[in-house]
């Protein structure tokens, strides 16, 4: 099917979707979850084909990790759909309301956005998450996964559409968009058919969509995430948090990429942290002071503080004080998630008040910055822009608002 025809079909599906009550949407989500579980074997078989093709083409290990599915990951996708069914429906929520002096009632309500296009790389779990969030918030979805996950996405989408049919809903509420860069370009210029685009992936993809689209875009950002070890930090706590944030899943956007250590604790902190990281298989790329403090540190290159590693590598720098740490973050941060480990309330307050990011954390891992961990059921992505939606985007972020006025014959006098 041509993309324009898919988009029109999705647009037609938005009418019935806007009128669905919560019970109907929850029933559909549960049916989609059941069909996805039933399709586990076919989804895993399709995923193996994608992985084999990717390895033959020299796909990086970090991308393979994002692409790979297991039975547990498929179950997590199905459970994510069910968890969405257990969440309140944001559509119809009254954001605010008041009565005019003439007696007319004004209410601002949450409403669906319409047709949401999502362009993403590798991760087939995004397919289920995005479809579920869009459905629960009353939106139709056009899902443009990467060619590297094509067979996996086909299998997942087939299961989700079967679930929609079981629930008596239009299957065109969820669509897989296939094709090359020309199709992505069509999506970016489908103003009037697509109401919103959300790119997820590397900086190249995101920048191309943000700069080239005539359709409104929510920018999801890369995750050059920092952690500051304050002078008052409990170093055992810092070690636990750093290891979790760096090694639990290094290929994701909320993984830690840079540690900044204040100078007055560096002599103790750097060797301790480097030792723990080395034991976990992490290579530390440090500034000159870090190299002097621990011979296991590799001298950082000129640009190693600027971007994500997405691997078992981490940048480390010794800074004079908290102000210098904040300045470093302001220069290099992608605006995703920034952390401080400290025992000082004053330092924590200064850090949170000074750092401009979608999430600012004190004494906990950046791996918490995730829609599931926030209780959103799942997430469309993590927005690093500053309008409409910022941080993990769940159901509420996939709605707009509309004003409804009710009177009994009022007319404007002025």
């Amino acid at each position: 099917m041509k993309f324009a025809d898919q988009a029109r079909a999705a647009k037609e599906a938005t009418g019935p979707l806007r009128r669905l009550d919560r019970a109907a949407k929850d029933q559909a989500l549960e049916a989609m979850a059941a069909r996805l579980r039933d399709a586990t074997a076919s989804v895993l078989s399709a995923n193996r084909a994608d992985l084999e093709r990717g390895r033959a083409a020299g796909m990086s290990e970090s991308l393979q990790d994002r692409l790979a599915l297991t039975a547990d990951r498929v179950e997590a996708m199905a459970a994510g759909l069910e968890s969405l069914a257990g969440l309140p429906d944001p559509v119809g929520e009254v954001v605010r309301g008041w009565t005019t002096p003439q007696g007319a009632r004004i209410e601002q309500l949450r409403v669906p956005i319409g047709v949401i296009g999502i362009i993403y790389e590798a991760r087939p779990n995004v397919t289920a998450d995005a479809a579920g969030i869009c459905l629960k918030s009353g939106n139709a979805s056009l899902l443009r996964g990467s060619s590297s996950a094509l067979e996996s996405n086909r299998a997942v989408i087939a299961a989700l559409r079967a679930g929609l049919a079981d629930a008596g809903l239009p299957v065109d509420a969820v669509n897989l968009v296939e094709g090359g860069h020309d199709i992505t370009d069509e999506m970016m210029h489908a103003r009037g058919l697509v109401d919103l685009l959300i790119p997820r992936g590397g900086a190249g993809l995101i920048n191309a969509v943000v700069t080239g689209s005539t359709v409104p875009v929510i920018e999801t950002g890369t995750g050059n995430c920092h952690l500051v070890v304050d002078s008052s930090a409990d170093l055992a706590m810092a070690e636990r948090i750093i290891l979790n944030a760096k090694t639990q899943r290094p290929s994701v956007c909320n993984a830690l990429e840079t540690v900044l250590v204040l100078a007055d604790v560096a002599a103790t902190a750097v060797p301790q942290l480097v030792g723990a990281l080395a034991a976990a298989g992490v290579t530390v790329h440090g500034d000159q002071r870090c190299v002097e403090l621990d011979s296991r540190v590799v001298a950082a290159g000129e640009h190693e503080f600027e971007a994500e590693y997405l691997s078992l590598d981490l940048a480390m720098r010794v800074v004079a004080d908290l102000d210098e740490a904040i300045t470093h973050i302001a220069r290099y941060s992608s605006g995703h998630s920034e952390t401080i480990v400290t025992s000082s309330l004053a330092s924590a307050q200064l850090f949170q008040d000074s750092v401009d990011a979608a999430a600012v954390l004190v004494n906990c891992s950046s791996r918490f910055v995730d829609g599931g961990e926030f209780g959103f059921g799942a997430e469309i992505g993590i927005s690093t822009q500053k309008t409409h939606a910022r941080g993990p985007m769940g159901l509420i972020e996939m709605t707009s608002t509309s004003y409804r006025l009710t009177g009994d014959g009022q007319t404007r006098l002025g």
Side-chain angles (χ1 to χ4, degrees):
M1 182 185 293
K2 293 181 179 179
F3 170 73
D5 294 331
Q6 277 189 300
R8 289 188 189 97
K11 197 75 169 178
E12 290 177 6
T14 61
L17 291 179
R18 291 180 71 89
R19 297 188 292 271
L20 292 178
D21 61 16
R22 175 180 174 177
K25 288 188 276 192
D26 291 350
Q27 181 183 3
L29 288 166
E30 289 164 358
M32 291 159 70
R35 284 287 193 164
L36 187 55
R37 285 196 180 94
D38 291 344
T40 297
S42 61
V43 169
L44 294 180
S45 176
N47 186 246
R48 284 193 293 273
D50 285 332
L51 282 168
E52 288 171 6
R53 189 175 65 253
R55 292 188 186 108
M59 179 184 287
S60 69
E61 289 187 9
S62 63
L63 279 179
Q64 288 181 48
D65 178 60
R66 292 184 181 211
L67 172 59
L69 291 176
T70 63
D72 286 344
R73 287 187 179 180
V74 176
E75 170 58 30
M77 291 158 65
L81 293 169
E82 290 173 333
S83 69
L84 286 170
L87 294 176
D89 186 349
V91 177
E93 175 191 343
V94 178
V95 177
R96 54 182 173 165
W98 65 96
T99 302
T100 70
Q102 293 85 8
R105 180 66 182 167
I106 301 176
E107 291 182 321
Q108 184 185 23
L109 280 74
R110 295 199 184 280
V111 296
I113 292 170
V115 176
I116 298 178
I118 301 161
I119 303 171
Y120 54 104
E121 296 176 344
R123 296 171 64 179
N125 65 297
V126 173
T127 305
D129 289 348
I133 289 174
C134 287
L135 181 71
K136 178 82 178 211
S137 54
N139 299 292
S141 54
L142 294 166
L143 305 175
R144 170 68 170 93
S146 63
S147 59
S148 62
L150 180 58
E151 298 302 327
S152 304
N153 286 333
R154 283 175 172 170
V156 171
I157 289 288
L160 299 181
R161 286 169 67 98
L164 287 171
D166 291 342
L169 298 188
V171 296
D172 289 321
V174 175
N175 303 271
L176 180 64
V177 178
E178 299 185 22
H181 293 298
D182 56 327
I183 298 299
T184 300
D185 192 63
E186 279 193 64
M187 292 182 73
M188 291 163 55
H189 294 89
R191 198 172 183 92
L193 290 175
V194 179
D195 297 294
L196 177 69
L197 275 182
I198 303 173
R200 285 189 57 165
L205 167 65
I206 293 167
N207 290 336
V209 175
V210 170
T211 58
S213 179
T214 61
V215 174
V217 175
I218 292 181
E219 181 175 356
T220 63
T222 54
N224 190 11
C225 303
H226 300 76
L227 181 144
V228 176
V229 179
D230 188 40
S231 302
S232 65
D234 178 329
L235 293 184
M237 177 193 293
E239 180 181 318
R240 289 195 306 273
I241 292 171
I242 289 168
L243 288 173
N244 177 260
K246 178 71 259 184
T247 68
Q248 188 190 56
R249 199 169 179 194
S251 65
V252 294
C253 62
N254 61 12
L256 180 64
E257 302 291 6
T258 300
V259 171
L260 304 173
V261 182
L262 266 64
D264 51 6
V265 293
T268 302
V270 169
Q272 177 177 333
L273 297 175
V274 171
L277 287 161
V282 178
T283 299
V284 176
H285 305 253
D287 67 355
Q288 183 58 40
R289 181 60 177 144
C290 290
V291 172
E292 292 169 357
L293 288 168
D294 196 298
S295 61
R296 293 167 292 191
V297 176
V298 176
E302 182 180 356
H303 302 292
E304 287 196 65
F305 292 102
E306 296 178 358
E308 296 174 300
Y309 286 108
L310 301 175
S311 62
L312 287 174
D313 294 88
L314 180 139
M316 185 176 288
R317 181 187 172 198
V318 175
V319 291
D321 51 29
L322 187 52
D323 285 335
E324 186 176 350
I326 291 168
T327 299
H328 177 103
I329 291 170
R331 177 178 178 183
Y332 293 108
S333 174
S334 60
H336 192 296
S337 302
E338 307 297 355
T339 306
I340 187 172
V341 179
T342 183
S343 298
S344 165
L345 290 176
S347 293
Q349 189 70 54
L350 175 63
F351 188 79
Q352 290 187 307
D353 289 345
S354 303
V355 171
D356 185 9
V360 184
L361 302 92
V362 176
N363 295 335
C364 54
S365 171
S366 58
R367 290 286 287 123
F368 280 113
V369 184
D370 172 86
E373 294 292 330
F374 276 28
F376 294 171
E379 69 179 28
I380 290 284
I382 296 178
S383 169
T384 55
Q385 67 174 28
K386 300 185 183 181
T387 57
H388 172 59
R390 196 179 192 195
M393 295 185 291
L395 296 173
I396 289 176
E397 288 72 28
M398 292 301 100
T399 63
S400 182
T401 62
S402 176
Y403 288 96
R404 298 185 182 179
L405 285 72
T406 305
D408 55 4
Q410 285 86 352
T411 60
R412 180 170 172 172
L413 302 176

